[in-house]
Amino acid sequence: MKLIQNYVNGEYVSGTSAHRIDLFDPAIGRPYGQLIDSSIKDVNDAINSSKIAFPLWSSMKLNNRAKYLNAIADEIESRANEFSEIESMDTGKPISLANSLDIPRAISNFRFFAEYAKKFEYISNLNDEISKNEISRNPLGVVCCISPWNLPLYLFTWKIAPALITGNTVIAKPSEITPYTAYLLGEVCTKVGLPPGVLNIIQGRGSTTGDFIVKNEFIKAISFTGGSETGKTIYKNASNTFKKLSLEMGGKNPAIIFQDCDYNDTLDSITRSSFLNQGQICLCSSRLLIEESIYDRFKKDFCDRVSNLKIGDPMELDTQFGAISSEEHFTKINNYIKLAKDEGANILTGGIVERLNGRCADGWFIRPTVLEGLSNSSRLNQEEIFGPVVTLQSFNSESNAIKMANDTVYGLSATIWTKDNKKGKKISRKIDAGVIWVNCWLVRNLNTPFGGMKQSGLGREGGNDAIQFFTEQKNICLSTR
Ligand code: NAD
């Protein structure tokens, strides 16, 4: 059994806690290892190590910090197959997805911020008749990055890379459900000679280990991605020490499908946006709003495509749809399917557990599920399920579609499908969401701001926003009178 330890001060350590958390391979439903459930002392030791590392790291030339980030990217790339296999085993996602999305994106997160920081102005001058002002951007100190289980290394490194390039030292806590690739990142840091304490990776439960980090007075900022309820708890717990906060949270994302869409392309894209990673991406479409005139035709063709997705062993190259990442989440999704029936939904396809043969016979698989017949105010249409369950509703006017799209506490992303770009843009402007894709989904330019409105987010990640978040400005004013 694998023991996933902390990575502190450049070394793997088991810490002081006697508690361990079982780690599961969701495709086979059995444990593969255990995780250290870090104590408050373990957290404090890591924070001390990051405090000690801060003066050296923050005063290092930007170019040199960029070299470390690029070296980390190169090292992950040289081990990409191993990282992909482990990510797939830990999460249940198809290996083809880990190979094409998760691990390449983790690599490009480091490369992007290494390059991006070069064009960012750390010092600017603003002079007038009475003063000379030198405005500098400075690292915050020790900062914390907390990430969820669905895109483990992808989201972990999306936070760590900008935090490091700007000169902060980092306490990073991956999800206790999928910690393995974050653990391996420690090996990578040692290999490239990252100075000890610059990145400490702390393992453990959110409600204990995560909570100790959030409440610690030496942590200057928290970059969090996870559920909205956890975000609220972190918001409260961080307030006593006035930390900077970036909160990326849940979604209930609408897809608005017009009769003038590019029909086949929309069907393919919506199948992907609904069920990629078993629907466990915060940006997945979960409410499909379809123009009345094409509703019946689209419903039939969409369900045909969905029921043809290849469910299977995540390790097989042709698998398109893998396992649900944990037993708890598997139970939660099944309960939502039961609730849908109680709420009067018509299940068009899926709605049942998938039993595979062989190695994956005891894995946590649910067939991709499409429902109709529920009002927008039903729990199925209001609560984030974060799994392979989508609902269909029809609309008869643009204003009706916009009203339904906005009628939720979330505002993370939306997609609009029409060949009329002008209409697509006009409607996008009326949708309350941080990211709106017109005729595409999950297209990401890492320079663009990423984040949600309403209960989906506070602050933005990406490019300039990330650099701003992890730095603080100082103005030195000289009188010239
Ligand atoms: P979660 O909120 O349960 O956990 C996320 C992380 O927070 C984990 O590392 C967890 O250990 C930690 N945590 C939990 N309680 C904590 C506390 N009190 N203090 C400090 N840390 C704590 O979320 P999850 O189940 O891992 O992930 C699924 C959620 O993440 C979904 O709601 C999904 O929409 C959201 N998500 C959002 C984005 C985005 O970019 N907006 C991306 C991916 C996932």
Side-chain angles (χ1 to χ4, degrees):
M1 293 286 265
K2 179 78 191 165
L3 179 65
I4 302 285
Q5 296 166 291
N6 291 334
Y7 179 74
V8 176
N9 214 30
E11 286 177 359
Y12 283 113
V13 291
S14 291
T16 58
S17 167
H19 294 143
R20 299 284 182 268
I21 300 167
D22 284 337
L23 295 168
F24 288 85
D25 174 343
I28 60 170
R30 281 196 288 279
Y32 72 79
Q34 287 199 315
L35 181 82
I36 301 287
D37 191 14
S38 301
S39 67
I40 194 159
K41 176 164 187 328
D42 302 336
V43 167
N44 289 341
D45 287 349
I47 293 174
N48 276 337
S49 141
S50 287
K51 275 163 68 184
I52 292 166
F54 180 70
L56 171 86
W57 183 249
S58 56
S59 58
M60 192 181 276
K61 284 210 168 81
L62 185 56
N63 262 348
N64 289 339
R65 290 203 295 266
K67 276 184 197 153
Y68 281 110
L69 263 65
N70 281 323
I72 291 173
D74 293 348
E75 181 60 19
I76 299 175
E77 193 168 47
S78 73
R79 295 171 63 177
N81 288 342
E82 177 195 356
F83 269 88
S84 296
E85 266 177 34
I86 286 176
E87 202 70 298
S88 168
M89 183 276 291
D90 210 10
T91 57
K93 70 178 68 205
I95 180 111
S96 58
L97 183 62
N99 236 325
S100 60
L101 179 75
D102 293 74
I103 304 308
R105 174 60 190 273
I107 295 165
S108 55
N109 286 339
F110 283 109
R111 292 202 176 126
F112 171 79
F113 280 107
E115 190 57 34
Y116 185 87
K118 288 186 198 160
K119 62 181 179 210
F120 193 82
E121 265 186 28
Y122 280 84
I123 297 192
S124 54
N125 293 293
L126 220 164
N127 302 329
D128 57 22
E129 318 74 62
I130 53 166
S131 64
K132 278 188 169 179
N133 294 280
E134 184 199 90
I135 301 152
S136 60
R137 234 169 219 293
N138 305 282
L140 304 171
V142 184
V143 299
C144 161
C145 301
I146 301 178
S147 57
W149 50 258
N150 64 323
L151 300 168
L153 195 66
Y154 170 139
L155 291 173
F156 197 55
T157 53
W158 178 231
K159 298 174 178 306
I160 290 171
L164 288 179
I165 196 68
T166 42
N168 301 284
T169 51
V170 177
I171 302 292
K173 198 202 92 57
S175 167
E176 61 272 40
I177 296 167
T178 56
Y180 203 155
T181 49
Y183 162 85
L184 283 185
L185 187 62
E187 282 179 15
V188 170
C189 293
T190 300
K191 177 83 190 290
V192 305
L194 189 75
V198 168
L199 174 62
N200 288 315
I201 301 166
I202 295 296
Q203 309 283 359
R205 246 178 256 283
S207 55
T208 52
T209 308
D211 189 61
F212 301 145
I213 305 172
V214 167
K215 289 180 178 161
N216 190 289
E217 61 180 313
F218 296 109
I219 298 288
K220 300 298 178 209
I222 298 166
S223 174
F224 164 80
T225 298
S228 299
E229 286 309 311
T230 312
K232 283 182 201 168
T233 305
I234 291 178
Y235 190 89
K236 279 189 217 137
N237 290 344
S239 65
N240 269 344
T241 42
F242 289 115
K243 292 170 176 33
K244 277 182 107 173
L245 287 180
S246 163
L247 305 174
E248 297 297 340
M249 301 178 285
K252 193 73 189 172
N253 310 310
I256 305 179
I257 302 155
F258 285 98
Q259 59 89 21
D260 64 353
C261 65
D262 182 334
Y263 192 74
N264 284 322
D265 181 66
T266 303
L267 275 170
D268 288 341
S269 302
I270 293 281
T271 306
R272 188 168 166 267
S273 74
S274 301
F275 296 112
L276 194 73
N277 206 34
Q278 297 74 253
Q280 303 169 128
I281 297 182
C282 56
L283 303 163
C284 276
S285 310
S286 51
R287 293 179 298 142
L288 309 192
L289 311 178
I290 305 160
E291 193 159 12
E292 213 168 36
S293 54
I294 58 162
Y295 183 85
D296 288 333
R297 180 175 165 223
F298 192 91
K299 171 172 90 175
K300 183 188 172 306
D301 292 339
F302 178 62
C303 289
D304 282 352
R305 273 180 168 69
V306 172
S307 53
N308 279 326
L309 285 171
K310 183 163 185 310
I311 310 174
D313 184 339
M315 288 298 160
E316 284 171 13
L317 281 176
D318 60 347
T319 291
Q320 295 172 304
F321 189 93
I324 301 301
S325 294
S326 69
E327 189 171 25
E328 191 186 341
H329 198 49
F330 173 80
T331 304
K332 177 184 151 182
I333 296 167
N334 280 318
N335 285 339
Y336 268 110
I337 292 172
K338 187 175 170 305
L339 176 69
K341 291 175 190 160
D342 295 345
E343 282 192 319
N346 180 18
I347 296 184
L348 298 167
T349 183
I352 52 171
V353 163
E354 174 78 13
R355 292 275 163 232
L356 298 177
N357 295 322
R359 194 183 86 90
C360 298
D362 296 323
W364 303 316
F365 295 83
I366 297 176
R367 282 206 195 150
T369 300
V370 183
L371 314 168
E372 68 170 356
L374 294 173
S375 75
N376 204 49
S377 59
S378 64
R379 284 185 59 193
L380 265 284
N381 274 323
Q382 289 295 319
E383 296 175 17
E384 187 188 40
I385 301 171
F386 206 56
V389 179
V390 302
T391 63
L392 310 187
Q393 296 175 82
S394 68
F395 66 85
N396 54 18
S397 68
E398 286 179 13
S399 59
N400 180 217
I402 294 164
K403 189 164 177 283
M404 280 201 278
N406 286 337
D407 181 20
T408 146
V409 295
Y410 296 107
L412 185 56
S413 75
T415 56
I416 318 260
W417 304 87
T418 168
K419 278 192 217 148
D420 180 348
N421 278 341
K422 227 168 137 192
K423 177 164 92 181
K425 265 198 158 175
K426 184 183 82 183
I427 288 168
S428 301
R429 290 194 192 103
K430 294 183 180 163
I431 302 291
D432 304 329
V435 187
I436 296 160
W437 282 288
V438 180
N439 297 322
C440 60
W441 178 70
L442 209 59
V443 174
R444 291 284 295 121
N445 172 336
L446 302 188
N447 288 290
T448 57
F450 177 84
M453 296 179 179
K454 301 195 273 185
Q455 294 194 21
S456 289
L458 192 72
R460 294 289 178 270
E461 296 187 298
N464 198 13
D465 288 279
I467 302 285
Q468 303 247 10
F469 177 73
F470 285 114
T471 54
E472 190 157 54
Q473 295 194 86
K474 183 188 279 183
N475 182 31
I476 302 173
C477 174
L478 295 182
S479 169
T480 50
R481 282 212 169 149

